[in-house]
């Protein structure tokens, strides 16, 4: 069965520091991979997605993620964190077939200290 | 941009009540989903729908049902609300990847 693991429940970084959020997945075929962000009291907003091709994908708000098939990972990175990045981040995986459901990780809460 | 609207941001209901959570999307998408979000558990799929009058159970369907009479509207029904259904409920729509989410309904059952 497909699953997503986000090993870090909470992460705290200083403003201006670099960030890496980890995501490992278990999936039997080539997956779609996503990162979403959720600000307090809001729905989920898509940061970036990977379907195929270049394994380094760029997203909104200066985020990027790298797909590593050999490690079954899709880690999210940002070179310099801003206070407004404080939120909860979710990694998700889904099959390539149109219409099928996504499976989400448990989320990582990012705190930014000034 | 696709818009997914959940009619209520906050709801407080009593144990045993029948509760309707409504979700409307404006892009003629065939696929719609209801997720439940709890701290430390992420999002868990309750039900999804491929098309009008088509529905399938997700991972945690117990205590819930759904209705999709029109393509744009997907309703989640709690037949007899219980305190363990206190949670954030998120609706999503998918025409082509990726999903678009509504802002969520925070339901408290007392």
């Amino acid at each position: 069965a497909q699953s997503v693991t986000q090993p870090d429940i909470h992460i705290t970084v200083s403003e201006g520091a670099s960030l890496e959020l980890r995501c490992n997945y278990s999936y039997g075929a080539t997956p779609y991979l996503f990162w979403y962000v959720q600000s307090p009291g809001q729905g989920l907003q898509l940061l970036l997605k990977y379907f195929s091709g270049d394994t380094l994908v760029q997203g909104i708000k200066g985020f990027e993620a790298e797909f590593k098939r050999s490690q079954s990972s899709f880690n999210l990175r940002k070179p310099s964190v801003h206070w407004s990045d404080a939120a909860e981040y979710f990694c998700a995986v889904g099959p390539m077939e149109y219409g099928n459901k996504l499976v989400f990780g448990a989320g990582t809460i990012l705190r930014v200290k000034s | 941009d696709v818009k997914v609207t959940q009619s209520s941001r906050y709801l407080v209901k009593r144990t045993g009540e029948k509760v309707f959570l409504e979700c409307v999307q404006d892009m003629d998408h065939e696929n719609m989903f209801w997720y439940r979000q709890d701290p430390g558990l992420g999002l868990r799929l309750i039900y999804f729908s491929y098309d009008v009058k088509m529905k399938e159970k997700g991972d945690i369907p117990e205590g819930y049902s759904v209705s999709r009479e029109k393509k744009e509207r997907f309703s989640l029904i709690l037949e007899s609300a219980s305190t363990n259904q206190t949670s954030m409920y998120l609706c999503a729509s998918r025409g082509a990847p990726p999903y678009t989410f509504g802002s969520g309904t925070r339901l408290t059952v007392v």
Side-chain angles (χ1 to χ4, degrees), chain A residues 9 32 34 36 38 40-46 49 51 88 90 95-107, chain B residues 9-10 30-31 33 35 37 40-43 45 48 50 58-59 88 90 94-104:
Chain A
I9 298 173
Y32 282 150
F34 305 85
Y36 285 86
Q38 185 181 36
Q42 301 298 314
L44 274 68
Q45 181 185 20
L46 179 71
K49 59 186 182 289
F51 296 154
E88 189 162 16
F90 293 93
M96 298 291 283
E97 293 80 17
Y98 175 87
N100 284 344
K101 59 188 176 81
L102 293 184
V103 173
F104 287 82
Chain B
R9 291 297 302 274
Y10 300 94
E30 293 179 345
N31 295 183
F33 305 81
Y35 284 87
Q37 182 182 11
L41 297 177
L43 278 73
L45 183 64
F48 59 110
Y50 287 125
D59 300 317
M88 169 74 95
L90 290 164
R94 179 180 178 177
Y99 288 20
T100 300
F101 282 86
S103 297

Side-chain angles (χ1 to χ4, degrees), chain A residues 13 18 27 29 32 35 41 43 49 65-66 71 76 84 87 96 113:
Chain A
V13 300
S18 63
Y27 197 72
Y32 282 150
W35 275 100
K49 59 186 182 289
E66 186 171 12
Q71 299 177 18
L76 182 71
S84 61
M96 298 291 283
K113 59 181 181 180

Side-chain angles (χ1 to χ4, degrees), chain A residues 10 12 28 35-39 41-43 45 50-52 56 63 70 77 79 82 84 86 89 92 94 99 105 113:
Chain A
H10 296 98
T12 300
W35 275 100
Y36 285 86
V37 61
Q38 185 181 36
S39 298
Q42 301 298 314
Q45 181 185 20
Y50 173 78
F51 296 154
S52 64
L56 184 64
F63 285 91
S70 61
R77 301 194 293 247
H82 188 262
S84 61
Y89 292 80
K113 59 181 181 180

Side-chain angles (χ1 to χ4, degrees), chain B residues 2-110:
Chain B
V2 176
K3 190 169 183 181
V4 178
T5 303
Q6 293 183 233
S7 54
S8 303
R9 291 297 302 274
Y10 300 94
L11 278 178
V12 180
K13 297 292 182 180
R14 295 194 179 276
T15 301
E17 275 193 76
K18 190 169 186 176
V19 180
F20 293 85
L21 303 184
E22 305 290 343
C23 176
V24 177
Q25 51 96 358
D26 64 358
M27 283 298 291
D28 201 36
H29 287 169
E30 293 179 345
N31 295 183
M32 297 186 74
F33 305 81
W34 274 106
Y35 284 87
R36 170 177 171 159
Q37 182 182 11
D38 299 288
L41 297 177
L43 278 73
R44 294 178 291 166
L45 183 64
I46 304 172
Y47 267 96
F48 59 110
S49 170
Y50 287 125
D51 206 340
V52 175
K53 298 190 187 295
M54 306 272 295
K55 60 185 179 184
E56 286 202 25
K57 294 180 180 179
D59 300 317
I60 53 164
E62 295 78 20
Y64 304 94
S65 62
V66 290
S67 172
R68 187 129 181 239
E69 297 296 319
K70 293 185 178 181
K71 201 170 192 178
E72 67 269 21
R73 185 180 299 270
F74 190 36
S75 303
L76 180 69
I77 304 159
L78 286 67
E79 297 290 344
S80 177
S82 63
T83 55
N84 63 13
Q85 293 178 309
T86 291
S87 187
M88 169 74 95
Y89 291 87
L90 290 164
C91 176
S93 169
R94 179 180 178 177
Y99 288 20
T100 300
F101 282 86
S103 297
T105 297
R106 185 165 294 282
L107 173 67
T108 302
V109 182
V110 298

